[in-house]
Amino acid sequence: MKKQMRQAHGRVLVLGLGLGYYPFAVSQKDNVESIDIIELSDEVIQLFNEQLLPHFPNKEKIRVIKADAFAYLENLQGGEYDFCFADIWEGAEDGAACYARLRPLAARLPSTEFTYWIEDVLRWYLLQG
């Protein structure tokens, strides 16, 4: 995620929370204004909000939204975010289908720069058929 951390800027959208390492790192960047994290799991959101977020030095930049990432993107009009990092999969097997489904949604939002966790691996996996 180092590349995607360096690239993050402005209003950042993160698809998938995990344990919050990515938002933690990019929230420390001066050129990152805000971070909206889309997460579907109540348990993950609760753990993050209660145990992790209180320790973040720039927690005021971070907002967690309980939603399905695909539905959230489908409802965006464009211009809301400058940068998006998608990480809603565990590996290539489950990620390939998600990646393929996200690409057309991202194309609808040309003013947002999209990046994806393990994108090179996902592309290779998809080419293997």
Side-chain angles (χ1 to χ4, degrees):
M1 290 187 271
K2 288 181 182 180
K3 179 182 175 185
Q4 292 92 347
M5 287 179 191
R6 284 192 308 272
Q7 292 173 310
H9 64 280
R11 297 160 299 163
V12 175
L13 176 63
V14 178
L15 305 178
L17 175 56
L19 290 178
Y21 180 72
Y22 183 83
F24 172 79
V26 300
S27 71
Q28 297 181 63
K29 295 180 64 176
D30 291 334
N31 68 338
V32 169
E33 178 184 326
S34 64
I35 304 163
D36 284 352
I37 305 163
I38 309 305
E39 175 58 50
L40 191 57
S41 169
D42 286 321
E43 293 82 11
V44 171
I45 293 170
Q46 182 178 357
L47 173 68
F48 178 76
N49 284 336
E50 293 176 4
Q51 303 297 322
L52 299 171
L53 186 59
H55 303 287
F56 282 29
N58 297 300
K59 59 184 160 277
E60 69 281 353
K61 289 184 177 183
I62 298 172
R63 177 173 69 147
V64 180
I65 301 166
K66 182 186 181 334
D68 175 83
F70 300 105
Y72 190 84
L73 287 178
E74 287 170 359
N75 290 312
L76 286 180
Q77 299 302 310
E80 291 95 333
Y81 298 100
D82 302 300
F83 185 84
C84 178
F85 175 60
D87 181 9
I88 56 174
W89 43 81
E90 293 183 24
E93 287 187 20
D94 67 319
C98 291
Y99 175 75
R101 189 173 166 199
L102 283 174
R103 299 288 292 167
L105 295 172
R108 290 183 46 253
L109 306 166
S111 63
T112 303
E113 178 184 354
F114 276 77
T115 60
Y116 308 87
W117 183 64
I118 65 167
E119 184 173 17
D120 292 341
V121 174
L122 297 173
R123 286 182 179 186
W124 177 86
Y125 189 87
L126 288 168
L127 287 173
Q128 302 310 303

